[in-house]
Amino acid sequence: MNTPNTNSGAETEVARKKLGFGFWLCVGWLGAMVFIALFTPLLPLKSPTANFLDPSQGRPPYSPSWKHWFGTDKDARDVFARTMHGARISLTVGFSAITAGFLVGGTIGVMSGYFRSWIDRVSSFVFVVLLSFPSLVLAILLTSLIERSLLTVSLVLGLLSIAPVGRLARAATLQYSEREFVLAARQIGAKDRHIIVKEILPNVAIPMSSLALLGMAVAVVAEGGLAFLGLSVEKGITWGGLIQLGSDASKTLEKAPWISFFPILMLFLTVLSLNFAGDRLRTFFDVKEMTL
Amino acid sequence: MRYYVQRVALAILLLLAVSMLTFGALNVLGDPLFNILGPVAGDVNNPDSVKMIELAKREFSLDRPLPVRYAIWLSDFVRGDFGVTFSSTGQPPVSGVISERLPRTVTLVAMAQFFAILVSIPWALITASRAGKFSDRISTLNAFFLVAMPNFALAVILKFVFSIKLGWMPLTFVADDPLSSRLFQMILPALTIGLPVAAVYQRLLRTDIITTLQQDFILLARTKGLSRTRILLVHALRPSLFSFITVVGLNTGALIGGSIVSETVFRIPGIGSTLVESVLRNDFPVVLAIVMIVASAFVIINLLVDFAYTLIDPRVRR
């Protein structure tokens, strides 16, 4: 039992002071992904839908080579180009979902935490109802019933993040709504709207925003899962869809593992970066007991 | 007593709300007729088709207003009659589908939970006793990796490594095999669900054990000269398990979510993969039944965890 208590105090103290090398590495990766997602059509990539049949190599799928860095799938399409294109939908859906969730959930949460009364009771019940489904079940249910476009899939995942985000916003607001500076503002006659926007929001926004990255990781995974089940954006290339395509038949997976493994690697690194950077930020801002 | 009644009433209210939402969404957004009749359902100009549509509507009581249909469905549902599947024949009944497939999912989830606990407790004990050291840092990093690996990707990797490359595990689930080999076939699917959860449990339990290890009674045990293993297993573990047990309970719902993906990848005909199939086929009665079963399981588990609290700490009852 070599003094187990040496670390906690000192270590967290140091860790809080700086974000560390790992954090910037993750930010770098995420930056690269965002760049790729934004400028996919402009990048010198091969066409993601063209068939690069090469009679000298026999029948596709072709393994990774100089010509096709990540190999090709069984229609001789370039896996590298497809994977890069996949970044687009995954990141767009992840980002818009969490933005929608934060706007709606955040507003409802702050309102119910500040005003309490019936607003709080109604919204809390709605949150509990939303949280009584495993989120993947609800996502499958909703996406199966609608036309699956970039917008609607984002909205469905945004809807799913309303409840967890709303709960956090409510909890954070409760912490501040009875603090001295809020009471003082009310004493000098400030209106509710002024108090919420100027006094409470700045205090709630910082811890909440450090959770945005963690939330986005959840949304990206959820989109991948939906795509894997064939329930994400119908037109277009997604990481989940690519992984599904490469692993659908055991024979494909056995003969050409690269078709699914490169998208898995990209998805994994992206989710890892979001989680890691989010976790670092959370420690940095010292947000406690808040999990998505 | 009043507390328990209130909680149970709230749970029932919650399930009613869930069923209304699901029923409403399915019937407003979806088109059940198409699934029963096929393309005929859209052919409103042909008198023959119209007759068939009328007939099907009556047979599946789709001609009644939505609230009435909901009431009928609900009264059947609470009596254990989940209705008929939306297909041309209406066979097999939904309860038949469920009773055949639910046990597989329950087994899978139980196995996943078992693996997660089996892995996380020793993992947490070892890392907590070496907190802050190199091995602990490596393990934290590993936990991060596991959590960042989406379960469908993990499923593909496990399948590739253990079934295809090493050949240790069977590739598919065969429903007619004897129980022991079916359980063996479920090991990889259960690991797919359980491993990321084990990482979550480990993080939580490790923190709690570290807190416990700083208590005076541990110091006393150490001055008595007890061995490191004995202190960890006998003195430190039990008082650290409180929040662990809660999270294990509450996580069961998340495991059901994981079983959807795992069952699909490993082709296990449980309720998770059935949900995906039925949703794609617009087979609403099956979807509704599965959603209700999952939500009920979720709500009941939450209720039990809350009640377990009141037994441990009566102040919660207020």
Side-chain angles (χ1 to χ4, degrees):
Chain A
M1 205 69 42
N2 313 318
T3 52
N5 51 352
T6 43
N7 78 314
S8 32
E11 196 190 53
T12 40
E13 208 54 45
V14 175
R16 271 186 57 190
K17 291 256 161 61
K18 53 180 186 186
L19 289 163
F21 176 67
F23 174 80
W24 294 110
L25 203 67
C26 294
V27 170
W29 174 264
L30 292 175
M33 282 299 111
V34 170
F35 178 82
I36 290 171
L38 282 176
F39 300 109
T40 338
L42 303 177
L43 296 176
L45 290 168
K46 292 191 171 70
S47 155
T49 47
N51 310 101
F52 297 94
L53 278 171
D54 179 5
S56 67
Q57 284 197 62
R59 283 173 61 186
Y62 307 133
S63 49
S65 63
W66 263 119
K67 215 168 137 206
H68 301 289
W69 292 352
F70 289 1
T72 74
D73 63 11
K74 58 179 191 292
D75 295 329
R77 290 175 299 191
D78 186 62
V79 175
F80 182 74
R82 291 174 71 75
T83 308
M84 293 300 133
H85 275 81
R88 206 159 205 196
I89 290 180
S90 295
L91 290 186
T92 316
V93 170
F95 182 77
S96 2
I98 204 66
T99 311
F102 266 70
L103 284 180
V104 181
T107 313
I108 298 176
V110 169
M111 298 286 266
S112 58
Y114 182 78
F115 290 114
R116 310 300 305 272
S117 75
W118 64 270
I119 302 180
D120 191 25
R121 256 173 271 144
V122 171
S123 67
S124 293
F125 187 71
V126 173
F127 290 165
V128 175
V129 172
L130 281 174
L131 290 172
S132 61
F133 291 93
S135 45
L136 187 60
V137 173
L138 192 54
I140 289 174
L141 189 67
L142 290 175
T143 46
S144 72
L145 293 172
I146 52 171
E147 190 127 330
R148 292 183 289 277
S149 67
L150 202 58
L151 181 70
T152 53
V153 172
S154 306
L155 285 180
V156 166
L157 292 178
L159 179 75
L160 291 184
S161 56
I162 287 178
V165 172
R167 277 198 157 184
L168 295 178
R170 175 179 174 274
T173 310
L174 278 180
Q175 273 181 5
Y176 290 102
S177 59
E178 295 299 320
R179 288 278 288 273
E180 294 81 355
F181 59 89
V182 174
L183 296 179
R186 198 172 293 150
Q187 214 65 33
I188 59 171
K191 296 215 174 70
D192 283 336
R193 210 184 79 187
H194 178 91
I195 297 177
I196 290 177
V197 175
K198 298 271 166 158
E199 309 288 344
I200 292 188
L201 210 56
N203 285 299
V204 175
I206 292 176
M208 292 296 291
S209 66
S210 70
L211 294 166
L213 287 179
L214 296 176
M216 193 171 153
V218 176
V220 168
V221 171
E223 191 278 331
L226 284 177
F228 187 80
L229 297 172
L231 285 166
S232 184
V233 184
E234 274 159 293
K235 284 169 205 149
I237 302 160
T238 62
W239 284 338
L242 291 174
I243 297 168
Q244 200 272 336
L245 203 68
S247 64
D248 195 23
S250 310
K251 222 175 206 165
T252 321
L253 186 60
E254 185 180 359
K255 270 172 54 194
W258 55 85
I259 301 176
S260 50
F261 276 27
F262 282 112
I264 287 181
L265 187 68
M266 302 292 278
L267 180 60
F268 169 68
L269 287 176
T270 307
V271 175
L272 183 68
S273 300
L274 285 169
N275 274 340
F276 192 82
D279 197 68
R280 270 264 160 273
L281 276 185
R282 188 164 61 162
T283 347
F284 190 74
F285 288 120
D286 200 20
V287 186
K288 279 182 192 138
E289 288 172 27
M290 282 189 172
T291 41
L292 267 176
Chain B
M1 194 58 210
R2 207 177 138 214
Y3 170 79
Y4 294 108
V5 174
Q6 265 179 0
R7 288 307 317 261
V8 172
L10 186 71
I12 293 173
L13 198 62
L14 201 66
L15 287 176
L16 278 177
V18 167
S19 69
M20 271 181 224
L21 282 178
T22 316
F23 194 89
L26 287 173
N27 281 286
V28 174
L29 296 172
D31 178 14
L33 265 183
F34 183 80
N35 185 59
I36 301 167
L37 296 172
V40 178
D43 191 10
V44 281
N45 296 323
N46 186 338
D48 282 350
S49 318
V50 173
K51 207 172 283 169
M52 279 176 76
I53 293 172
E54 288 303 314
L55 208 69
K57 271 190 178 169
R58 192 146 331 126
E59 202 185 322
F60 292 89
S61 38
L62 292 169
D63 50 350
R64 310 268 190 88
L66 196 60
V68 177
R69 270 153 60 199
Y70 175 72
I72 295 173
W73 171 81
L74 187 66
S75 72
D76 284 349
F77 187 82
V78 291
R79 275 181 275 148
D81 177 7
F82 297 172
V84 288
T85 45
F86 272 0
S87 62
S88 45
T89 55
Q91 287 296 324
V94 179
S95 26
V97 176
I98 300 289
S99 61
E100 186 203 336
R101 300 185 175 192
L102 184 61
R104 294 184 194 129
T105 303
V106 172
T107 316
L108 182 62
V109 168
M111 242 169 127
Q113 192 73 279
F114 174 73
F115 284 146
I117 295 170
L118 196 71
V119 171
S120 61
I121 290 184
W123 189 5
L125 280 170
I126 294 168
T127 47
S129 69
R130 295 158 203 261
K133 295 203 171 156
F134 185 67
S135 59
D136 178 43
R137 279 154 182 265
I138 294 291
S139 122
T140 309
L141 206 61
N142 272 328
F144 249 111
F145 284 0
L146 265 183
V147 173
M149 182 61 82
N151 51 8
F152 57 93
L154 185 62
V156 171
I157 293 176
L158 288 177
K159 192 174 170 182
F160 179 75
V161 174
F162 292 102
S163 299
I164 295 177
K165 282 291 143 180
L166 296 172
W168 293 351
M169 292 290 167
L171 258 175
T172 44
F173 179 84
V174 186
D176 298 329
D177 276 7
L179 182 68
S180 58
S181 44
R182 270 183 292 153
L183 285 178
F184 185 63
Q185 288 155 2
M186 274 196 186
I187 290 180
L188 277 191
L191 281 178
T192 303
I193 310 172
L195 279 181
V197 179
V200 176
Y201 292 173
Q202 182 265 348
R203 271 204 220 168
L204 177 87
L205 188 57
R206 174 184 164 274
T207 320
D208 285 354
I209 295 178
I210 291 177
T211 317
T212 312
L213 286 177
Q214 290 163 4
Q215 306 259 329
D216 289 342
F217 67 89
I218 298 290
L219 194 66
L220 176 70
R222 279 166 65 192
T223 43
K224 270 177 24 190
L226 296 182
S227 78
R228 188 186 163 114
T229 339
R230 197 179 153 80
I231 292 176
L232 274 175
L233 288 177
V234 182
H235 297 259
L237 182 59
R238 214 163 71 116
S240 317
L241 282 177
F242 189 72
S243 47
F244 178 76
I245 291 171
T246 321
V247 172
V248 168
L250 296 181
N251 237 299
T252 311
L255 295 185
I256 298 173
S259 76
I260 297 175
V261 166
S262 179
E263 284 174 13
T264 307
V265 176
F266 292 98
R267 308 254 152 80
I268 299 176
I271 59 165
S273 52
T274 309
L275 177 70
V276 177
E277 286 164 25
S278 313
V279 132
L280 291 172
R281 281 191 294 130
N282 283 334
D283 197 343
F284 297 153
V286 179
V287 175
L288 198 55
I290 293 177
V291 168
M292 285 314 293
I293 287 169
V294 170
S296 310
F298 218 58
V299 169
I300 290 171
I301 289 164
N302 278 347
L303 210 59
L304 290 179
V305 171
D306 278 1
F307 287 173
Y309 266 154
T310 65
L311 294 180
I312 299 166
D313 185 355
R315 279 172 303 178
V316 183
R317 268 177 272 170
R318 266 168 287 175

